[in-house]
């Protein structure tokens, strides 16, 4: 993708690339899923009886 475009105004050229947010969303979603599974596992482990 070309970064130089003679048809764009100065304001258009300075705009940020919205695709850079994808990594932030991916990492936060991954952390959220890991925390969710950890909480589910802890609740499951705490509710189990001691009889084996």
């Amino acid at each position: 993708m070309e970064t130089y475009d003679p048809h764009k105004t100065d304001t258009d050229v300075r705009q940020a690339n919205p695709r850079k947010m994808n990594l932030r969303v991916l990492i936060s979603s991954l952390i959220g899923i890991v925390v969710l599974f950890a909480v589910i596992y802890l609740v499951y482990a705490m509710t189990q009886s001691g009889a084996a």
Side-chain angles (χ1 to χ4, degrees):
M1 181 170 110
E2 292 290 328
T3 57
Y4 174 73
D5 187 355
H7 302 292
K8 289 185 179 180
T9 65
D10 290 341
T11 304
D12 290 334
V13 172
R14 286 192 303 261
Q15 296 300 314
N17 186 351
R19 291 185 292 170
K20 291 181 181 177
M21 290 294 294
N22 289 347
L23 182 63
R24 185 178 300 171
V25 172
L26 179 65
I27 291 174
S28 62
S29 299
L30 182 63
I31 290 172
I33 290 171
V34 169
V35 169
L36 179 66
F37 276 105
V39 168
I40 291 172
Y41 175 75
L42 287 175
V43 169
Y44 174 76
M46 295 174 104
T47 57
Q48 292 300 308
S49 62

